[in-house]
Amino acid sequence: MIPIARPLIGAAEREAVDRVLKTGALTSGPEVAAFEAEFSEHAAGGRPCVAVNSGTSALHLGLLASGIGPGDEVIVPSFTFAASANAIALAGATPVFADIDASSFCVSVEAARAAITARTAAIMAVHLFGQPAHLSDLRQLADQHGIALIEDACQAHLARWQGRLAGTHGAMAAFSFYPTKNMTTGEGGMIVLADDDSARRARLLRNQGMEKRYLNEIVGFNARMTDMQAAIGRVQLTRLAEWTIQRQQNAAFYDGAIAGCGLPSVAHGATHVYHQYTVRIPDDHRDAVVSGLAAAGVGTGVYYPIGVHQLPPFAQSADLPETEKATREVLSIPVHPSLSDSEREAVARALNDAVAAVS
Ligand SMILES: *Cc1c(COP(=O)(O)O)cnc(C)c1O
């Protein structure tokens, strides 16, 4: 079976964890500080970075550190992982769902504009599948209305918009290091902030509200990353650029080799890092295509089969036709950097055959 994701953990990661274990210091320490500095330099344009225990915590604490809370509305696409909306709700704010742009799968700027009210505090762009949302238009829209631009960059390490790294366009961004993401720490996340004051608030929120031990300044969480995780992340970060190129090369191969279904399109100005390579299978043929691929030994994923606005915690009768169409049509195939040439050829052949069989 060719799996939809395959985390790359090698001898260097094992040695890094062993090095930490031998020190006996098992929680947050020098490895976390070094990981934050290195992530800032290589993946966050030098912005302050705060490492936490998950991407969801990064979004949640990042929103709180940005001053978003009860009474605020945050515009977010419904076509995303529920964590985007969960973080908004956990911050005490209200997610307001906007439809996506059909070609990028990211939030539609026009839909975001139409969703703005007097209570809107922020727009959360989700760089879905590794492609940044239209960050220049979203930035302009946010600036016009005096609201914050937030980036859910959990799938978009090293993606760029007009040459500038995803995660450095707004007030706050969150990255995830879950095992299926473009780099991993097992569980983990990174908050990227635009200024030192909000970075300090994020650090307080991460650790019980204290900077100096037992001098707690605010109510906070325990959302710390461990030094074992950070040590893995530091190794992974040294491989990220090379893995990203391999993802892009796999995607370019699929662009030329796959026929008969809707291929991903890359917006002008976007550098896509292909967390997922996602095609569209129209006319209710998706289940049959999934079965055909499974029979050929190819794992697939449907991200996401239900819009967040249709899930019980958020149920809203919003009119989001492109979101609902995408939930019926999308299918992701393996694009990860450990695919061999023969594996990606087998994936393309299996998809073409499965699509031909149902057309
Ligand atoms: C993975 C992901 C998250 C949450 O990250 P975790 O590390 O799993 O908590 C949030 N948003 C999006 C778009 C994601 O893909």
Side-chain angles (χ1 to χ4, degrees):
M1 189 78 174
I2 303 172
I4 184 71
R6 189 156 55 195
L8 283 155
I9 296 291
E13 282 86 348
R14 286 194 293 276
E15 280 162 23
V17 172
D18 203 40
R19 181 181 75 231
V20 174
L21 291 174
K22 280 176 182 146
T23 69
L26 303 187
T27 181
S28 193
E31 294 286 337
V32 169
F35 182 40
E36 289 174 343
E38 289 159 10
F39 194 87
S40 173
E41 182 185 345
H42 298 290
R47 287 193 171 198
C49 289
V50 180
V52 289
N53 57 357
S54 71
T56 307
S57 290
L59 284 169
H60 179 200
L61 273 56
L63 286 167
L64 294 174
S66 304
I68 288 163
D72 292 334
E73 292 177 356
V74 178
I75 296 167
V76 62
S78 165
F79 192 59
T80 180
F81 185 45
S84 315
N86 282 342
I88 295 166
L90 288 169
T94 304
V96 173
F97 296 105
D99 210 356
I100 52 166
D101 170 69
S103 59
S104 70
F105 296 115
C106 294
V107 70
S108 147
V109 178
E110 283 321 304
R113 189 190 310 278
I116 291 175
T117 72
R119 299 187 141 205
T120 306
I123 300 170
M124 182 187 287
V126 182
H127 306 325
L128 205 70
F129 306 140
Q131 168 156 229
H134 200 300
L135 283 165
S136 38
D137 282 2
L138 289 169
R139 176 70 182 266
Q140 197 181 18
L141 178 63
D143 288 350
Q144 266 168 14
H145 292 267
I147 60 182
L149 174 62
I150 305 281
E151 296 175 75
D152 179 341
C154 284
Q155 304 185 356
H157 318 67
L158 298 190
R160 288 173 188 269
W161 179 257
Q162 293 178 348
R164 181 164 162 177
L165 283 165
T168 68
H169 292 256
M172 184 280 277
F175 289 87
S176 167
F177 307 122
Y178 184 75
T180 60
K181 302 293 161 83
N182 292 27
M183 62 174 280
T184 187
T185 60
E187 297 277 5
M190 192 69 81
I191 318 172
V192 178
L193 289 313
D195 62 85
D196 292 333
D197 286 348
S198 53
R200 179 167 193 275
R201 282 195 294 278
R203 284 203 181 84
L204 290 175
L205 288 164
R206 169 177 68 178
N207 189 26
Q208 314 287 1
M210 58 185 183
E211 184 175 29
K212 294 206 182 71
R213 192 172 295 211
Y214 308 131
L215 293 176
N216 308 60
E217 300 173 39
I218 59 172
V219 175
F221 302 82
N222 172 0
R224 296 184 299 262
M225 176 180 275
T226 68
D227 262 14
M228 285 90 77
Q229 293 167 307
I232 297 172
R234 293 179 69 193
V235 176
Q236 295 262 309
L237 189 58
T238 66
R239 308 289 304 280
L240 181 63
E242 160 202 343
W243 288 339
T244 301
I245 290 168
Q246 283 161 0
R247 286 179 180 275
Q248 290 163 335
Q249 286 172 347
N250 289 338
F253 170 80
Y254 287 147
D255 288 344
I258 293 169
C261 54
L263 299 178
S265 77
V266 182
H268 182 70
T271 305
H272 196 320
V273 295
Y274 295 98
H275 170 61
Q276 298 294 347
Y277 188 93
T278 303
V279 301
R280 285 182 185 258
I281 311 286
D283 304 328
D284 298 325
H285 291 321
R286 186 172 61 191
D287 287 352
V289 170
V290 168
S291 305
L293 283 161
V298 176
T300 55
V302 173
Y303 312 107
Y304 295 90
I306 303 179
V308 178
H309 74 288
Q310 297 167 304
L311 296 169
F314 299 105
Q316 288 181 9
S317 56
D319 181 30
L320 305 174
E322 290 300 342
T323 296
E324 291 178 23
K325 186 161 185 264
T327 63
R328 293 191 300 270
E329 294 186 347
V330 289
L331 182 66
S332 300
I333 58 173
V335 72
H336 45 81
S338 67
L339 285 181
S340 67
D341 286 0
S342 64
E343 282 178 322
R344 71 186 192 187
E345 281 161 23
V347 171
R349 199 177 324 116
L351 178 56
N352 287 341
D353 290 349
V355 168
V358 297
S359 312

